[in-house]
Amino acid sequence: MKMDKASESDIDAAGELLQLLDTIDWHWGGPCPIPDAPDSLLEFLSETGSEFDAEKPEHLQVLYNHLAQLLRRAPNFHGRIIGGMCYVIHNPRNEIIDPDLDYLEMHPKLRGLLNNLAPTP
């Protein structure tokens, strides 16, 4: 299975999401939940039989609580996952992925090194 390589606009959007999550996660130990609001947006929507509506304050509170729960459960996951993929894996200077392809594939230098390390039959 092949996956498309992230575009510059994908990386910019992911970087902005990273900043938004950092903004929510400013509190040491993770963000505090909003009292009396559920912690799972998916469960809340399923139980209420509704779709997410950004004009409903309760939906926004549940969304915040769900994000806060993720940020407390795995501190800085967003930095490692989004930052790692966008700014380490995709950085052409690191020569991890092939810059000439539009999908994710190891850089030719890495493929060559791995082929040289492979045992010969």
Side-chain angles (χ1 to χ4, degrees):
M1 181 169 105
K2 304 277 184 195
M3 180 172 223
D4 287 345
K5 192 183 301 182
S7 67
E8 286 301 315
S9 63
D10 292 336
I11 291 173
D12 290 345
E16 191 170 335
L17 176 59
L18 181 61
Q19 289 176 325
L20 291 171
L21 292 171
D22 278 341
T23 299
I24 293 171
D25 197 29
W26 67 272
H27 190 278
W28 184 82
C32 297
I34 297 170
D36 301 324
D39 286 331
S40 172
L41 180 63
L42 304 176
E43 287 177 17
F44 171 77
L45 295 175
S46 176
E47 290 169 3
T48 59
S50 58
E51 294 181 3
F52 181 75
D53 185 347
E55 294 184 10
K56 293 184 177 179
E58 184 179 24
H59 287 209
L60 294 172
Q61 289 179 341
V62 179
L63 172 60
Y64 172 83
N65 273 2
H66 199 144
L67 291 171
Q69 176 191 67
L70 290 173
L71 293 165
R72 287 190 311 273
R73 187 172 73 208
N76 197 37
F77 77 91
H78 55 293
R80 290 184 300 277
I81 301 299
I82 298 171
M85 188 63 177
C86 290
Y87 306 117
V88 176
I89 303 295
H90 274 282
N91 187 329
R93 291 182 307 224
N94 291 333
E95 298 181 333
I96 296 173
I97 59 175
D98 192 326
D100 298 326
L101 300 175
D102 61 355
Y103 57 89
L104 294 176
E105 184 73 50
M106 269 195 272
H107 194 282
K109 286 184 179 180
L110 279 178
R111 282 196 309 262
L113 289 170
L114 288 173
N115 287 338
N116 288 337
L117 292 174
T120 54

